[in-house]
Amino acid sequence: MSMLTNFIIADLEEVDAICESSSPTQEWRGVELRNFVPAKIATLDSMLTGEFFGDTLSQYESLYSASDDGPWIVALSQPLIEKLALLDEEAVEQVGEELAASEEFEREEWPVDEVQAALAEIASLASITIAQEKALFVWMMPDR
C-alpha cells in the first residue's frame, strides 16, 4: 500500500490541526514525499545520529492519529533535525547514496537521485525548523 507523507514545519500546539488537515502542505510549509514512512525515517535517523535502528524506530510511533485508518503524525527527533540541518550539498549526495543502499529503500527500489532529492528537501526544512524554533512533523495517510 502506498502512503502519502508530508513533512511539515509547525508549532507543537498545531499537531491536532495538522492531523485533521486533508492537505497539510497547502496550509503549512512543507513537502510531500510519498512512502517516506517511519522505518525510512528511523533508518535516516540511525545513519545520521549513530543510534541503533530499533531505538530510533520506537521514537517514530504515532504521536497523534485522527483514527485507526489515519492520518497519523510523527515528529522528527531534535537530534535528527540538527544533523539534517548541517548537511551540505556534498553530504546530501553521500548520505543519500548510503540511504538508497539501505534495506528500507532498496526493497522499494528507490533510485539514488530520488533519495538524494528527498533528503535535500528534508534537510532544507530542518534548517528552517531550527531557524524558526518550530517542530518538524510527518503527516501520513494511506493512499487509497
Side-chain angles (χ1 to χ4, degrees), residues 35-70:
N35 292 325
F36 216 106
V37 295
K40 288 183 177 78
I41 298 167
T43 299
L44 175 60
D45 192 319
S46 64
M47 189 176 289
L48 291 179
T49 65
E51 297 294 323
F52 290 109
F53 174 79
D55 294 339
T56 60
L57 184 60
S58 66
Q59 294 177 46
Y60 298 110
E61 294 176 2
S62 182
L63 176 66
Y64 184 91
S65 66
S67 73
D68 289 343
D69 298 325

PDB file of all heavy atoms in Angstrom, residues 35-70:
ATOM      1  N   ASN A  35       5.598   7.701   0.491  1.00  0.00           N
ATOM      2  CA  ASN A  35       6.177   6.493   1.085  1.00  0.00           C
ATOM      3  C   ASN A  35       7.418   6.720   1.942  1.00  0.00           C
ATOM      4  O   ASN A  35       8.213   5.805   2.132  1.00  0.00           O
ATOM      5  CB  ASN A  35       6.482   5.434   0.003  1.00  0.00           C
ATOM      6  CG  ASN A  35       5.224   4.888  -0.611  1.00  0.00           C
ATOM      7  OD1 ASN A  35       4.201   4.742   0.066  1.00  0.00           O
ATOM      8  ND2 ASN A  35       5.261   4.613  -1.893  1.00  0.00           N
ATOM      9  N   PHE A  36       7.597   7.896   2.495  1.00  0.00           N
ATOM     10  CA  PHE A  36       8.696   8.131   3.429  1.00  0.00           C
ATOM     11  C   PHE A  36       8.156   7.848   4.825  1.00  0.00           C
ATOM     12  O   PHE A  36       7.823   8.743   5.587  1.00  0.00           O
ATOM     13  CB  PHE A  36       9.215   9.567   3.313  1.00  0.00           C
ATOM     14  CG  PHE A  36      10.700   9.684   3.507  1.00  0.00           C
ATOM     15  CD1 PHE A  36      11.528   9.925   2.429  1.00  0.00           C
ATOM     16  CD2 PHE A  36      11.276   9.531   4.762  1.00  0.00           C
ATOM     17  CE1 PHE A  36      12.904  10.025   2.596  1.00  0.00           C
ATOM     18  CE2 PHE A  36      12.637   9.631   4.942  1.00  0.00           C
ATOM     19  CZ  PHE A  36      13.454   9.882   3.855  1.00  0.00           C
ATOM     20  N   VAL A  37       8.028   6.573   5.132  1.00  0.00           N
ATOM     21  CA  VAL A  37       7.359   6.074   6.330  1.00  0.00           C
ATOM     22  C   VAL A  37       8.329   5.981   7.514  1.00  0.00           C
ATOM     23  O   VAL A  37       9.544   6.139   7.347  1.00  0.00           O
ATOM     24  CB  VAL A  37       6.700   4.706   6.038  1.00  0.00           C
ATOM     25  CG1 VAL A  37       5.584   4.856   5.009  1.00  0.00           C
ATOM     26  CG2 VAL A  37       7.731   3.700   5.568  1.00  0.00           C
ATOM     27  N   PRO A  38       7.813   5.725   8.730  1.00  0.00           N
ATOM     28  CA  PRO A  38       8.667   5.700   9.923  1.00  0.00           C
ATOM     29  C   PRO A  38       9.914   4.806   9.824  1.00  0.00           C
ATOM     30  O   PRO A  38      10.965   5.188  10.331  1.00  0.00           O
ATOM     31  CB  PRO A  38       7.718   5.223  11.022  1.00  0.00           C
ATOM     32  CG  PRO A  38       6.407   5.806  10.612  1.00  0.00           C
ATOM     33  CD  PRO A  38       6.395   5.633   9.104  1.00  0.00           C
ATOM     34  N   ALA A  39       9.831   3.669   9.174  1.00  0.00           N
ATOM     35  CA  ALA A  39      11.021   2.814   9.065  1.00  0.00           C
ATOM     36  C   ALA A  39      12.121   3.519   8.265  1.00  0.00           C
ATOM     37  O   ALA A  39      13.308   3.398   8.583  1.00  0.00           O
ATOM     38  CB  ALA A  39      10.662   1.481   8.418  1.00  0.00           C
ATOM     39  N   LYS A  40      11.748   4.269   7.260  1.00  0.00           N
ATOM     40  CA  LYS A  40      12.730   5.018   6.468  1.00  0.00           C
ATOM     41  C   LYS A  40      13.283   6.196   7.284  1.00  0.00           C
ATOM     42  O   LYS A  40      14.472   6.506   7.214  1.00  0.00           O
ATOM     43  CB  LYS A  40      12.101   5.508   5.168  1.00  0.00           C
ATOM     44  CG  LYS A  40      11.842   4.391   4.172  1.00  0.00           C
ATOM     45  CD  LYS A  40      11.277   4.947   2.885  1.00  0.00           C
ATOM     46  CE  LYS A  40      11.078   3.868   1.855  1.00  0.00           C
ATOM     47  NZ  LYS A  40       9.894   3.059   2.076  1.00  0.00           N
ATOM     48  N   ILE A  41      12.418   6.845   8.042  1.00  0.00           N
ATOM     49  CA  ILE A  41      12.858   7.943   8.902  1.00  0.00           C
ATOM     50  C   ILE A  41      13.831   7.411   9.956  1.00  0.00           C
ATOM     51  O   ILE A  41      14.874   8.013  10.218  1.00  0.00           O
ATOM     52  CB  ILE A  41      11.658   8.648   9.563  1.00  0.00           C
ATOM     53  CG1 ILE A  41      10.749   9.268   8.499  1.00  0.00           C
ATOM     54  CG2 ILE A  41      12.131   9.703  10.566  1.00  0.00           C
ATOM     55  CD1 ILE A  41       9.392   9.702   9.013  1.00  0.00           C
ATOM     56  N   ALA A  42      13.499   6.274  10.544  1.00  0.00           N
ATOM     57  CA  ALA A  42      14.368   5.666  11.558  1.00  0.00           C
ATOM     58  C   ALA A  42      15.710   5.251  10.955  1.00  0.00           C
ATOM     59  O   ALA A  42      16.749   5.372  11.596  1.00  0.00           O
ATOM     60  CB  ALA A  42      13.673   4.465  12.199  1.00  0.00           C
ATOM     61  N   THR A  43      15.697   4.775   9.715  1.00  0.00           N
ATOM     62  CA  THR A  43      16.940   4.426   9.030  1.00  0.00           C
ATOM     63  C   THR A  43      17.808   5.670   8.877  1.00  0.00           C
ATOM     64  O   THR A  43      19.008   5.640   9.175  1.00  0.00           O
ATOM     65  CB  THR A  43      16.648   3.798   7.649  1.00  0.00           C
ATOM     66  OG1 THR A  43      15.889   2.601   7.836  1.00  0.00           O
ATOM     67  CG2 THR A  43      17.924   3.471   6.904  1.00  0.00           C
ATOM     68  N   LEU A  44      17.209   6.759   8.423  1.00  0.00           N
ATOM     69  CA  LEU A  44      17.926   8.022   8.275  1.00  0.00           C
ATOM     70  C   LEU A  44      18.439   8.504   9.627  1.00  0.00           C
ATOM     71  O   LEU A  44      19.595   8.912   9.754  1.00  0.00           O
ATOM     72  CB  LEU A  44      17.003   9.073   7.649  1.00  0.00           C
ATOM     73  CG  LEU A  44      17.551  10.492   7.537  1.00  0.00           C
ATOM     74  CD1 LEU A  44      18.817  10.528   6.684  1.00  0.00           C
ATOM     75  CD2 LEU A  44      16.477  11.417   6.978  1.00  0.00           C
ATOM     76  N   ASP A  45      17.588   8.439  10.635  1.00  0.00           N
ATOM     77  CA  ASP A  45      17.954   8.879  11.982  1.00  0.00           C
ATOM     78  C   ASP A  45      19.154   8.086  12.491  1.00  0.00           C
ATOM     79  O   ASP A  45      20.144   8.657  12.942  1.00  0.00           O
ATOM     80  CB  ASP A  45      16.758   8.725  12.919  1.00  0.00           C
ATOM     81  CG  ASP A  45      16.946   9.409  14.255  1.00  0.00           C
ATOM     82  OD1 ASP A  45      18.049   9.335  14.831  1.00  0.00           O
ATOM     83  OD2 ASP A  45      15.978  10.016  14.753  1.00  0.00           O
ATOM     84  N   SER A  46      19.095   6.770  12.406  1.00  0.00           N
ATOM     85  CA  SER A  46      20.198   5.955  12.923  1.00  0.00           C
ATOM     86  C   SER A  46      21.477   6.190  12.129  1.00  0.00           C
ATOM     87  O   SER A  46      22.573   6.194  12.686  1.00  0.00           O
ATOM     88  CB  SER A  46      19.823   4.471  12.973  1.00  0.00           C
ATOM     89  OG  SER A  46      19.588   3.956  11.699  1.00  0.00           O
ATOM     90  N   MET A  47      21.344   6.443  10.838  1.00  0.00           N
ATOM     91  CA  MET A  47      22.503   6.704   9.994  1.00  0.00           C
ATOM     92  C   MET A  47      23.196   8.012  10.404  1.00  0.00           C
ATOM     93  O   MET A  47      24.421   8.077  10.484  1.00  0.00           O
ATOM     94  CB  MET A  47      22.067   6.774   8.532  1.00  0.00           C
ATOM     95  CG  MET A  47      23.181   6.816   7.536  1.00  0.00           C
ATOM     96  SD  MET A  47      22.536   6.770   5.841  1.00  0.00           S
ATOM     97  CE  MET A  47      21.963   5.081   5.753  1.00  0.00           C
ATOM     98  N   LEU A  48      22.409   9.038  10.673  1.00  0.00           N
ATOM     99  CA  LEU A  48      22.991  10.348  10.992  1.00  0.00           C
ATOM    100  C   LEU A  48      23.378  10.521  12.455  1.00  0.00           C
ATOM    101  O   LEU A  48      24.330  11.227  12.765  1.00  0.00           O
ATOM    102  CB  LEU A  48      22.031  11.469  10.591  1.00  0.00           C
ATOM    103  CG  LEU A  48      21.828  11.673   9.097  1.00  0.00           C
ATOM    104  CD1 LEU A  48      20.839  12.810   8.837  1.00  0.00           C
ATOM    105  CD2 LEU A  48      23.144  11.948   8.385  1.00  0.00           C
ATOM    106  N   THR A  49      22.632   9.906  13.356  1.00  0.00           N
ATOM    107  CA  THR A  49      22.894  10.105  14.789  1.00  0.00           C
ATOM    108  C   THR A  49      23.744   9.006  15.401  1.00  0.00           C
ATOM    109  O   THR A  49      24.262   9.176  16.499  1.00  0.00           O
ATOM    110  CB  THR A  49      21.580  10.209  15.591  1.00  0.00           C
ATOM    111  OG1 THR A  49      20.889   8.960  15.526  1.00  0.00           O
ATOM    112  CG2 THR A  49      20.706  11.355  15.085  1.00  0.00           C
ATOM    113  N   GLY A  50      23.854   7.857  14.713  1.00  0.00           N
ATOM    114  CA  GLY A  50      24.626   6.747  15.257  1.00  0.00           C
ATOM    115  C   GLY A  50      23.855   5.897  16.246  1.00  0.00           C
ATOM    116  O   GLY A  50      24.404   4.953  16.822  1.00  0.00           O
ATOM    117  N   GLU A  51      22.583   6.199  16.445  1.00  0.00           N
ATOM    118  CA  GLU A  51      21.745   5.403  17.353  1.00  0.00           C
ATOM    119  C   GLU A  51      21.334   4.096  16.662  1.00  0.00           C
ATOM    120  O   GLU A  51      21.315   4.015  15.442  1.00  0.00           O
ATOM    121  CB  GLU A  51      20.500   6.192  17.754  1.00  0.00           C
ATOM    122  CG  GLU A  51      20.790   7.460  18.535  1.00  0.00           C
ATOM    123  CD  GLU A  51      21.403   7.199  19.895  1.00  0.00           C
ATOM    124  OE1 GLU A  51      21.021   6.220  20.560  1.00  0.00           O
ATOM    125  OE2 GLU A  51      22.286   7.988  20.287  1.00  0.00           O
ATOM    126  N   PHE A  52      20.978   3.106  17.452  1.00  0.00           N
ATOM    127  CA  PHE A  52      20.529   1.837  16.895  1.00  0.00           C
ATOM    128  C   PHE A  52      19.168   2.011  16.223  1.00  0.00           C
ATOM    129  O   PHE A  52      18.315   2.752  16.713  1.00  0.00           O
ATOM    130  CB  PHE A  52      20.416   0.755  17.977  1.00  0.00           C
ATOM    131  CG  PHE A  52      21.758   0.324  18.503  1.00  0.00           C
ATOM    132  CD1 PHE A  52      22.149   0.670  19.784  1.00  0.00           C
ATOM    133  CD2 PHE A  52      22.624  -0.426  17.714  1.00  0.00           C
ATOM    134  CE1 PHE A  52      23.386   0.287  20.276  1.00  0.00           C
ATOM    135  CE2 PHE A  52      23.857  -0.813  18.195  1.00  0.00           C
ATOM    136  CZ  PHE A  52      24.244  -0.458  19.477  1.00  0.00           C
ATOM    137  N   PHE A  53      18.972   1.308  15.116  1.00  0.00           N
ATOM    138  CA  PHE A  53      17.728   1.395  14.352  1.00  0.00           C
ATOM    139  C   PHE A  53      16.509   1.141  15.228  1.00  0.00           C
ATOM    140  O   PHE A  53      15.537   1.888  15.181  1.00  0.00           O
ATOM    141  CB  PHE A  53      17.761   0.416  13.171  1.00  0.00           C
ATOM    142  CG  PHE A  53      16.465   0.341  12.420  1.00  0.00           C
ATOM    143  CD1 PHE A  53      16.117   1.320  11.500  1.00  0.00           C
ATOM    144  CD2 PHE A  53      15.574  -0.705  12.636  1.00  0.00           C
ATOM    145  CE1 PHE A  53      14.918   1.271  10.812  1.00  0.00           C
ATOM    146  CE2 PHE A  53      14.372  -0.774  11.947  1.00  0.00           C
ATOM    147  CZ  PHE A  53      14.046   0.209  11.036  1.00  0.00           C
ATOM    148  N   GLY A  54      16.548   0.083  16.030  1.00  0.00           N
ATOM    149  CA  GLY A  54      15.405  -0.256  16.885  1.00  0.00           C
ATOM    150  C   GLY A  54      15.049   0.852  17.850  1.00  0.00           C
ATOM    151  O   GLY A  54      13.873   1.115  18.113  1.00  0.00           O
ATOM    152  N   ASP A  55      16.074   1.527  18.372  1.00  0.00           N
ATOM    153  CA  ASP A  55      15.831   2.643  19.297  1.00  0.00           C
ATOM    154  C   ASP A  55      15.210   3.826  18.573  1.00  0.00           C
ATOM    155  O   ASP A  55      14.313   4.486  19.092  1.00  0.00           O
ATOM    156  CB  ASP A  55      17.135   3.079  19.966  1.00  0.00           C
ATOM    157  CG  ASP A  55      17.698   2.011  20.889  1.00  0.00           C
ATOM    158  OD1 ASP A  55      16.943   1.121  21.323  1.00  0.00           O
ATOM    159  OD2 ASP A  55      18.910   2.074  21.173  1.00  0.00           O
ATOM    160  N   THR A  56      15.693   4.097  17.366  1.00  0.00           N
ATOM    161  CA  THR A  56      15.143   5.236  16.637  1.00  0.00           C
ATOM    162  C   THR A  56      13.734   4.927  16.131  1.00  0.00           C
ATOM    163  O   THR A  56      12.879   5.805  16.146  1.00  0.00           O
ATOM    164  CB  THR A  56      16.046   5.667  15.459  1.00  0.00           C
ATOM    165  OG1 THR A  56      16.195   4.599  14.544  1.00  0.00           O
ATOM    166  CG2 THR A  56      17.402   6.131  15.949  1.00  0.00           C
ATOM    167  N   LEU A  57      13.499   3.689  15.711  1.00  0.00           N
ATOM    168  CA  LEU A  57      12.172   3.328  15.201  1.00  0.00           C
ATOM    169  C   LEU A  57      11.101   3.543  16.269  1.00  0.00           C
ATOM    170  O   LEU A  57      10.012   4.039  15.971  1.00  0.00           O
ATOM    171  CB  LEU A  57      12.155   1.892  14.688  1.00  0.00           C
ATOM    172  CG  LEU A  57      10.849   1.427  14.054  1.00  0.00           C
ATOM    173  CD1 LEU A  57      10.484   2.290  12.852  1.00  0.00           C
ATOM    174  CD2 LEU A  57      10.946  -0.047  13.639  1.00  0.00           C
ATOM    175  N   SER A  58      11.419   3.210  17.508  1.00  0.00           N
ATOM    176  CA  SER A  58      10.423   3.368  18.575  1.00  0.00           C
ATOM    177  C   SER A  58      10.060   4.834  18.799  1.00  0.00           C
ATOM    178  O   SER A  58       8.989   5.140  19.308  1.00  0.00           O
ATOM    179  CB  SER A  58      10.915   2.738  19.876  1.00  0.00           C
ATOM    180  OG  SER A  58      12.035   3.438  20.371  1.00  0.00           O
ATOM    181  N   GLN A  59      10.942   5.769  18.399  1.00  0.00           N
ATOM    182  CA  GLN A  59      10.645   7.198  18.528  1.00  0.00           C
ATOM    183  C   GLN A  59       9.593   7.664  17.522  1.00  0.00           C
ATOM    184  O   GLN A  59       9.000   8.725  17.689  1.00  0.00           O
ATOM    185  CB  GLN A  59      11.898   8.035  18.286  1.00  0.00           C
ATOM    186  CG  GLN A  59      12.971   7.873  19.303  1.00  0.00           C
ATOM    187  CD  GLN A  59      14.202   8.685  18.924  1.00  0.00           C
ATOM    188  OE1 GLN A  59      14.074   9.848  18.552  1.00  0.00           O
ATOM    189  NE2 GLN A  59      15.354   8.081  19.010  1.00  0.00           N
ATOM    190  N   TYR A  60       9.408   6.888  16.453  1.00  0.00           N
ATOM    191  CA  TYR A  60       8.532   7.332  15.373  1.00  0.00           C
ATOM    192  C   TYR A  60       7.197   6.597  15.345  1.00  0.00           C
ATOM    193  O   TYR A  60       6.597   6.419  14.299  1.00  0.00           O
ATOM    194  CB  TYR A  60       9.277   7.268  14.036  1.00  0.00           C
ATOM    195  CG  TYR A  60      10.467   8.191  14.060  1.00  0.00           C
ATOM    196  CD1 TYR A  60      11.761   7.705  14.079  1.00  0.00           C
ATOM    197  CD2 TYR A  60      10.278   9.565  14.156  1.00  0.00           C
ATOM    198  CE1 TYR A  60      12.850   8.560  14.162  1.00  0.00           C
ATOM    199  CE2 TYR A  60      11.352  10.431  14.245  1.00  0.00           C
ATOM    200  CZ  TYR A  60      12.633   9.918  14.243  1.00  0.00           C
ATOM    201  OH  TYR A  60      13.702  10.772  14.340  1.00  0.00           O
ATOM    202  N   GLU A  61       6.742   6.231  16.528  1.00  0.00           N
ATOM    203  CA  GLU A  61       5.382   5.724  16.639  1.00  0.00           C
ATOM    204  C   GLU A  61       4.459   6.933  16.596  1.00  0.00           C
ATOM    205  O   GLU A  61       4.857   8.049  16.920  1.00  0.00           O
ATOM    206  CB  GLU A  61       5.219   4.935  17.937  1.00  0.00           C
ATOM    207  CG  GLU A  61       6.055   3.665  17.945  1.00  0.00           C
ATOM    208  CD  GLU A  61       5.974   2.922  19.253  1.00  0.00           C
ATOM    209  OE1 GLU A  61       5.240   3.359  20.173  1.00  0.00           O
ATOM    210  OE2 GLU A  61       6.668   1.906  19.360  1.00  0.00           O
ATOM    211  N   SER A  62       3.236   6.720  16.224  1.00  0.00           N
ATOM    212  CA  SER A  62       2.288   7.809  16.029  1.00  0.00           C
ATOM    213  C   SER A  62       2.167   8.701  17.263  1.00  0.00           C
ATOM    214  O   SER A  62       1.910   8.229  18.362  1.00  0.00           O
ATOM    215  CB  SER A  62       0.923   7.233  15.661  1.00  0.00           C
ATOM    216  OG  SER A  62       0.008   8.264  15.431  1.00  0.00           O
ATOM    217  N   LEU A  63       2.375   9.995  17.058  1.00  0.00           N
ATOM    218  CA  LEU A  63       2.221  10.995  18.098  1.00  0.00           C
ATOM    219  C   LEU A  63       0.738  11.338  18.257  1.00  0.00           C
ATOM    220  O   LEU A  63       0.254  11.591  19.339  1.00  0.00           O
ATOM    221  CB  LEU A  63       3.017  12.241  17.691  1.00  0.00           C
ATOM    222  CG  LEU A  63       2.966  13.473  18.551  1.00  0.00           C
ATOM    223  CD1 LEU A  63       3.621  13.191  19.894  1.00  0.00           C
ATOM    224  CD2 LEU A  63       3.690  14.620  17.858  1.00  0.00           C
ATOM    225  N   TYR A  64       0.038  11.308  17.142  1.00  0.00           N
ATOM    226  CA  TYR A  64      -1.373  11.663  17.113  1.00  0.00           C
ATOM    227  C   TYR A  64      -1.993  10.996  15.901  1.00  0.00           C
ATOM    228  O   TYR A  64      -1.356  10.892  14.857  1.00  0.00           O
ATOM    229  CB  TYR A  64      -1.523  13.186  16.992  1.00  0.00           C
ATOM    230  CG  TYR A  64      -2.952  13.666  17.039  1.00  0.00           C
ATOM    231  CD1 TYR A  64      -3.543  14.016  18.240  1.00  0.00           C
ATOM    232  CD2 TYR A  64      -3.706  13.776  15.884  1.00  0.00           C
ATOM    233  CE1 TYR A  64      -4.857  14.468  18.280  1.00  0.00           C
ATOM    234  CE2 TYR A  64      -5.020  14.214  15.916  1.00  0.00           C
ATOM    235  CZ  TYR A  64      -5.584  14.561  17.112  1.00  0.00           C
ATOM    236  OH  TYR A  64      -6.876  14.993  17.148  1.00  0.00           O
ATOM    237  N   SER A  65      -3.216  10.537  16.034  1.00  0.00           N
ATOM    238  CA  SER A  65      -3.915   9.993  14.870  1.00  0.00           C
ATOM    239  C   SER A  65      -5.376  10.401  14.921  1.00  0.00           C
ATOM    240  O   SER A  65      -5.970  10.486  15.991  1.00  0.00           O
ATOM    241  CB  SER A  65      -3.784   8.470  14.807  1.00  0.00           C
ATOM    242  OG  SER A  65      -4.456   7.862  15.881  1.00  0.00           O
ATOM    243  N   ALA A  66      -5.922  10.659  13.741  1.00  0.00           N
ATOM    244  CA  ALA A  66      -7.334  11.036  13.650  1.00  0.00           C
ATOM    245  C   ALA A  66      -8.219   9.812  13.850  1.00  0.00           C
ATOM    246  O   ALA A  66      -9.289   9.905  14.419  1.00  0.00           O
ATOM    247  CB  ALA A  66      -7.616  11.697  12.308  1.00  0.00           C
ATOM    248  N   SER A  67      -7.755   8.654  13.361  1.00  0.00           N
ATOM    249  CA  SER A  67      -8.483   7.393  13.522  1.00  0.00           C
ATOM    250  C   SER A  67      -7.506   6.251  13.260  1.00  0.00           C
ATOM    251  O   SER A  67      -6.353   6.488  12.902  1.00  0.00           O
ATOM    252  CB  SER A  67      -9.649   7.313  12.531  1.00  0.00           C
ATOM    253  OG  SER A  67      -9.167   7.078  11.223  1.00  0.00           O
ATOM    254  N   ASP A  68      -7.982   5.024  13.409  1.00  0.00           N
ATOM    255  CA  ASP A  68      -7.129   3.869  13.118  1.00  0.00           C
ATOM    256  C   ASP A  68      -6.706   3.834  11.657  1.00  0.00           C
ATOM    257  O   ASP A  68      -5.694   3.247  11.306  1.00  0.00           O
ATOM    258  CB  ASP A  68      -7.850   2.558  13.471  1.00  0.00           C
ATOM    259  CG  ASP A  68      -7.993   2.359  14.973  1.00  0.00           C
ATOM    260  OD1 ASP A  68      -7.264   3.045  15.740  1.00  0.00           O
ATOM    261  OD2 ASP A  68      -8.822   1.541  15.388  1.00  0.00           O
ATOM    262  N   ASP A  69      -7.490   4.471  10.806  1.00  0.00           N
ATOM    263  CA  ASP A  69      -7.212   4.493   9.369  1.00  0.00           C
ATOM    264  C   ASP A  69      -6.370   5.703   8.943  1.00  0.00           C
ATOM    265  O   ASP A  69      -6.118   5.896   7.761  1.00  0.00           O
ATOM    266  CB  ASP A  69      -8.529   4.502   8.581  1.00  0.00           C
ATOM    267  CG  ASP A  69      -9.344   3.244   8.834  1.00  0.00           C
ATOM    268  OD1 ASP A  69      -8.748   2.169   9.007  1.00  0.00           O
ATOM    269  OD2 ASP A  69     -10.582   3.353   8.870  1.00  0.00           O
ATOM    270  N   GLY A  70      -5.976   6.532   9.900  1.00  0.00           N
ATOM    271  CA  GLY A  70      -5.141   7.697   9.598  1.00  0.00           C
ATOM    272  C   GLY A  70      -5.972   8.953   9.469  1.00  0.00           C
ATOM    273  O   GLY A  70      -7.192   8.917   9.586  1.00  0.00           O
TER     274      GLY A  70
END
